[in-house]
Amino acid sequence: MRNFCTLALLSIVLGPALAVERASAQTAVNVSAHIGSFHLAVANYYHVPEREVVVIKKQRIPDEEIPVALFIAQRAVVSSATVVNFRLRGESWWDISVRFGLTPDVYYVPVAGNPGPPYGRAYGHYKKKSRDQWKTIVLTDADIVNLVHLRFLSEHYRVAPERIIEMRRERDFVAIHASVKGRDKGGYRSETDHGRDKGKGKQAHR
């Protein structure tokens, strides 16, 4: 009888805790079912819970635009839900940026040389104007998506931005992410890398 009472008491005390644990485990399963390595990288880079990325994704924000929503939210110090709501109302990323007082300089990523497509247009704006005139620049959605990803991928994976620009000519950002993520396991290698390896080979045979 004493053992029965003890078990009953434990079930009363531990029941709610076990229910919360099961709910948390189920939430983790639900999150993992809707998120891939790209989304995990985005969540890690912007220091947000994985479920926040899932929520944005479920609102039919394209994968390549999820980092933009988080970037604006981070820089404007507002919730990503607020940013996404304006986007779902049909506002451009530039209009949303202006709404929160963000200027073109927040999107600028320093690179060497003159970037070609699809970055040439955006960098053309920055190069043609002095820094104190950058506030007159107006960026398109494509410009903002490209620049946000350039910063995210180059900083998160410690890859030179010039490499990301080179890859962007032929790949979408999810594919670029997969390549740079696995670069230490036979992943992306630029033409420059191949050239260096050939040079090393020639030197080894001298």
Side-chain angles (χ1 to χ4, degrees):
M1 184 69 178
R2 181 178 299 175
N3 290 338
F4 176 79
C5 292
T6 301
L7 290 173
L9 179 61
L10 285 173
S11 66
I12 294 172
V13 173
L14 298 178
L18 292 173
V20 170
E21 185 176 345
R22 284 195 295 269
S24 298
Q26 185 60 48
T27 298
V29 170
N30 291 337
V31 168
S32 63
H34 293 90
I35 199 165
S37 64
F38 170 76
H39 305 96
L40 287 172
V42 170
N44 290 335
Y45 178 75
Y46 288 102
H47 305 291
V48 299
E50 295 165 15
R51 65 175 62 86
E52 185 169 338
V53 175
V54 173
V55 169
I56 297 174
K57 180 178 173 63
K58 284 186 174 181
Q59 294 183 76
R60 298 186 180 180
I61 297 296
D63 283 345
E64 67 175 14
E65 296 189 10
I66 293 175
V68 177
L70 292 171
F71 177 88
I72 293 176
Q74 186 182 75
R75 293 303 179 103
V77 195
V78 297
S79 70
S80 60
T82 300
V83 174
V84 169
N85 283 338
F86 284 118
R87 182 62 174 171
L88 295 177
R89 292 178 192 176
E91 292 195 20
S92 70
W93 289 121
W94 178 247
D95 288 339
I96 297 171
S97 300
V98 172
R99 176 183 291 278
F100 291 115
L102 302 185
T103 52
D105 60 290
V106 302
Y107 292 108
Y108 181 75
V109 179
V111 296
N114 295 311
Y119 286 89
R121 181 182 180 280
Y123 276 97
H125 290 313
Y126 292 107
K127 290 181 180 297
K128 289 176 183 177
K129 298 177 183 289
S130 60
R131 189 131 195 159
D132 60 351
Q133 294 179 316
W134 280 8
K135 60 185 177 181
T136 64
I137 294 173
V138 175
L139 298 170
T140 65
D141 278 354
D143 291 335
I144 290 176
V145 169
N146 280 320
L147 290 169
V148 166
H149 275 275
L150 182 60
R151 182 182 300 278
F152 155 52
L153 291 168
S154 62
E155 290 185 353
H156 188 58
Y157 291 108
R158 298 181 181 179
V159 176
E162 293 81 10
R163 284 183 122 193
I164 304 301
I165 291 173
E166 180 184 337
M167 298 176 72
R168 178 61 176 142
R169 294 168 188 162
E170 299 177 351
R171 313 183 193 191
D172 63 31
F173 287 115
V174 175
I176 293 174
H177 154 77
S179 293
V180 295
K181 182 177 183 294
R183 69 189 186 282
D184 294 328
K185 298 180 180 180
Y188 171 70
R189 293 165 64 77
S190 69
E191 294 177 4
T192 303
D193 289 333
H194 288 298
R196 287 173 180 167
D197 288 347
K198 288 180 180 179
K200 290 178 181 178
K202 290 180 181 178
Q203 292 176 359
H205 286 85
R206 285 181 183 175

